[in-house]
Structures are given as structure tokens and as C-alpha cells.
Amino acid sequence: MSKKDRMSGNEAVAYAIRQINPDVMPAFPITPSTEIPQMVSTYIANGEMDTEFIPVESEHSSMSAAIGAEAAGARSLTATSSAGLALMWEELLLAASNRMPLVLALVNRTLSGPININCDHSDSMGARDTGWIQIYAENNQEAYDNFIQAYPIAEDKRVHLPVMICQDGFITSHAVENILLEEDAAVKEFVGEYNPEEFLLNPGKPIAVGPYSISSYAMEARYNQELAMENSKEVILEVAKKFKEKFGRGFELFEEYRTEDADYIMLIMGSAAGTAKQAVDDLREKGMKVGVLKLRVFRPFPAEEIAMALKNCKAVAIMDRTESYNGHGGPLASEVTAGLYRSKVMIETVCYTYGLAGRDFTVETAYEIFDELKDVAENGKKVKQHRYIGLRSKERS
């Protein structure tokens, strides 16, 4: 039975880690994820879990150690943010290409420069093509729930890929919210024990690991990674269904909030989705048919599913909390518009960049975006497709 509590997002993830009790956790501190390994190490010191905690000298080392542990058949994880993720860049690619089903708790924080410790998605979006599954949380409850689902997804034999569980730095990681926690035994039963059929450093099956991959084989390895990523979509949905059956909270690849008859939809990820939902509720009371599509899973990217969910609206605002420096929008804008085009869904789109380095995203800002979408669809207003929202100067917004 669920029990009510109050926790920050970092506390919730650390609590989930304690319940899962993985084999190995190497970690190096970096704001705002530092609390996660700190809390886990406290659980270990108090005898509440028997995970092997490895303090290392850098984030590169933490991912290296996690890969080594996973290669030896141990369930492993680490946590990081921002420059920490950037420092382990090489290892992210190795974890995915070696098909390691480890988990990373990522607390989203902007990448330098200029140096800043607040939230945007530049760290995880920079790593979007490293071969990792990426799942995003709107709030503390989802951070907890997503982490519990991570290992059953990663370790499924159809997948065997690493999973990045993302939550917004400070906004969810440090803010305290009401939360439902599950019983230890129920979580342990849901996640199960890790007994891999195959692992790289199996002393009974010696093989060479890490030699130069000649051209005759490297491309096939990449193709198999892509097939696994495609398979993971089905597995994510299966795990989500089992989670709902067991704990009563349901998830899909994305959440559709009041979109059934919506003329104007905002497509967004992370904590800002809550702000967007409040704006939708307010505008619905005034008779405006608006909705929110909150993307939960960015990798694998559900392009066709999103296109079908948006096909009946008049216009969509695509919200990126990072910059791609391509002149026409962020990663989400590029992926969504490509998906719409390939599915032959011809609706109006406006691509917005918001909330960089912790810049506030308010309900009033959401009102303005929905009003602009209406003006675009009904009056043919011409707007710049690459739009910054919330600048101190209004010259570019």
C-alpha cells in the first residue's frame, strides 16, 4: 500500500535507489545532483542497503566504474548534472555501444558558459545521440516512479541499453512536494533481481573487449543499437502498464492534457509542464480550447505518435529548454517538425526557446504563447519561427 510523505526530487530518487538496492554506485559530487549520492551513502552507512559505494575522482571515473561493474554482471548506477555529464561524454557512448543496462540519475542543469548552476536541458539534450534512453519527469512523484521503472526497461533482453532518468535541477530536485511512496518489498518485487544471461567480463566465457572495431563490424553494431532503441519503445510501454497495475499510477510515452478537442497545444518537457497545465485550466474557463502535450520519453523519440496526437489541432507551440544554434529552434523543434512532415500532418508550428539557465517560465508567459498561436492560425500572423521567450529585452521575443 502506498504511503504519503513529503520529499524533494533528490530525496525521492535516493529513496528509490535504497529500495532497489543496486550492487554498485560510483559517484562524484556536482550541484544540483550531489544530494543523491550523499543520501545513498548515508543509507549504506546506516545499514539500510548493501550497495557498494565507490567515491571516485571525477565524473568520467564514475561512469567508467559503473561500466566496469555492469560489465562484471553487477547492477550499477551513478548520478550527475551539467558539466559532470559532459566530462563523462566518452563513457556515455561506451556504455551504450557495449549494451550496458545501467542507470543514470541526471539532475538537469545548464552547461557553461557563462557558468550557471540553474536548470535547463542543455546537458541531457547534448547527450541525446549517445545511444541512451531518456525519460523526463514533471515533478517529484514522476522522478521517483520513473527511476523504479528504469531497470526493468534497461535490462529487458530486447533492449539492453542504458537509461537516463532526468529531472529539473532545483525546481524538482530541491523543492519538497507531497509524494506517494511504495513499500520496499513491492518495489523490490517489481524491479526484480538482476541475473544476466550474458555479461562482458564473464570468467567462464573469456572474450576480448574493447579492441579496434574494423569497418566490417562497426556499422552492424550501430545498427543493432538502433534496433534495440526501437524495441525499447514497446518495453517502456509494457513496464509502464505493469507499474500502473501494481501501483495505480500510469504513464505513456507522453501525457495528453486536455488535448481531445484542443485547437492550440503546447508541447513541452519537464517541470514547466505543470505551469503550462495551469495556463490551460485558466484559459479553458475563458472558453479557449487549449491543451498540453507533455513529452515523457525523448529517446526513443515517438515521432509518429506525436504527429497523430497533434493532427487535429490548428497550431502547436514546441518548447525547447535548450539551444541548438542551428537558427531555427532546439532539438525538440527539429524532431517534432520532422515527425509532422513525415507523417504528412500539416499544421502550424511555432518553435520557442524558454527557461535557459533557470529563467522563469510563468503562467502569464504561457497565456501569451497560446494567444499568439491563435493569432497565427486564425489571422495568419507572421512570426519568427525561432523565438526566445522571456528575454529582458523584447527585441527578439
Side-chain angles (χ1 to χ4, degrees):
M1 180 180 293
S2 302
K3 67 174 183 178
K4 295 180 180 180
D5 208 326
R6 294 183 298 276
M7 284 187 173
S8 70
N10 279 348
E11 287 178 297
V13 168
Y15 195 87
I17 293 171
R18 181 193 66 75
Q19 292 181 305
I20 295 167
N21 194 28
D23 299 309
V24 180
M25 183 178 185
F28 188 83
I30 183 170
T31 303
S33 67
T34 301
E35 290 181 328
I36 296 175
Q38 179 184 1
M39 292 170 186
V40 170
S41 64
T42 301
Y43 284 134
I44 295 170
N46 291 341
E48 297 179 66
M49 57 190 297
D50 57 8
T51 298
E52 183 71 26
F53 188 87
I54 307 175
V56 293
E57 68 275 13
S58 73
E59 291 87 357
H60 186 281
S61 299
S62 69
M63 184 54 68
S64 295
I67 289 172
E70 196 72 47
R75 179 179 276 166
S76 62
L77 79 150
T78 189
T80 196
S81 298
S82 184
L85 186 70
L87 186 56
M88 60 174 68
W89 202 264
E90 173 191 21
E91 303 302 312
L92 294 177
L93 293 155
L94 290 174
S97 62
N98 281 318
R99 308 296 294 277
M100 302 292 186
L102 58 89
V103 176
L104 171 64
L106 182 70
V107 183
N108 288 110
R109 168 188 151 187
T110 189
L111 285 168
S112 298
I115 190 168
N116 182 283
I117 64 168
N118 296 305
C119 172
D120 65 31
H121 296 157
S122 53
D123 49 4
S124 56
M125 284 294 103
R128 65 188 181 275
D129 294 332
T130 55
W132 284 62
I133 294 166
Q134 290 190 344
I135 302 177
Y136 289 77
E138 176 189 340
N139 50 44
N140 303 2
Q141 184 72 63
E142 289 185 10
Y144 172 75
D145 293 347
N146 287 346
F147 200 91
I148 292 172
Q149 295 174 70
Y151 283 112
I153 295 167
E155 293 167 359
D156 190 287
K157 64 176 62 177
R158 294 166 289 177
V159 180
H160 254 260
L161 289 174
V163 176
M164 195 177 294
I165 299 297
C166 307
Q167 63 167 318
D168 285 354
F170 294 108
I171 302 171
T172 63
S173 67
H174 284 63
V176 175
E177 294 181 346
N178 292 330
I179 190 171
L180 292 175
L181 301 172
E182 304 306 327
E183 295 178 351
D184 291 358
V187 171
K188 194 69 177 175
E189 180 185 34
F190 181 82
V191 176
E193 297 293 339
Y194 183 44
N195 297 302
E197 294 180 14
E198 300 287 348
F199 51 95
L200 290 183
L201 303 181
N202 186 342
K205 296 181 179 180
I207 59 173
V209 180
Y212 177 73
S213 179
I214 61 174
S215 301
S216 301
Y217 295 95
M219 193 166 175
E220 282 72 17
R222 295 288 179 87
Y223 177 64
N224 283 326
Q225 276 184 255
E226 166 59 20
L227 290 179
M229 185 64 77
E230 292 176 15
N231 291 341
S232 72
K233 190 183 296 185
E234 179 182 4
V235 175
I236 289 168
L237 291 174
E238 287 178 5
V239 171
K241 182 179 179 182
K242 291 177 183 176
F243 188 89
K244 184 176 182 180
E245 290 171 353
K246 190 171 186 66
F247 301 121
R249 296 184 296 278
F251 302 92
E252 300 289 341
L253 301 174
F254 49 81
E255 176 190 349
E256 297 179 80
Y257 185 77
R258 306 190 75 167
T259 59
E260 298 85 354
D261 62 341
D263 292 328
Y264 313 107
I265 294 175
M266 182 177 291
L267 197 158
I268 198 164
M269 291 195 308
S271 60
T275 303
K277 289 175 183 178
Q278 181 61 57
V280 163
D281 291 343
D282 295 345
L283 293 174
R284 282 278 179 170
E285 290 183 1
K286 298 179 180 179
M288 191 173 182
K289 293 182 179 181
V290 294
V292 171
L293 191 154
K294 181 190 75 181
L295 186 58
R296 174 178 176 248
V297 178
F298 185 81
R299 283 287 182 270
F301 191 76
E304 184 177 351
E305 292 88 344
I306 289 174
M308 292 302 99
L310 296 175
K311 67 180 181 179
N312 294 321
C313 76
K314 295 178 181 178
V316 57
I318 307 171
M319 309 294 293
D320 270 292
R321 201 162 195 166
T322 189
E323 173 61 89
S324 280
Y325 303 106
N326 59 24
H328 62 81
L332 194 53
S334 298
E335 301 258 4
V336 172
T337 52
L340 291 172
Y341 177 79
R342 288 172 181 163
S343 295
K344 296 181 172 54
V345 175
M346 297 297 115
I347 58 175
E348 296 286 352
T349 63
V350 185
C351 305
Y352 296 92
T353 299
Y354 77 100
L356 301 187
R359 184 65 58 89
D360 284 344
F361 176 70
T362 67
V363 174
E364 289 74 21
T365 302
Y367 295 160
E368 294 172 5
I369 291 171
F370 280 120
D371 285 340
E372 184 163 75
L373 286 183
K374 183 177 181 181
D375 208 4
V376 168
E378 295 188 2
N379 303 320
K381 178 184 177 181
K382 300 296 182 183
V383 298
K384 187 172 183 177
Q385 277 295 309
H386 186 202
R387 306 204 359 96
Y388 269 59
I389 292 298
L391 290 176
R392 287 183 292 115
S393 168
K394 291 188 176 294
E395 292 179 5
R396 292 200 60 194
S397 63

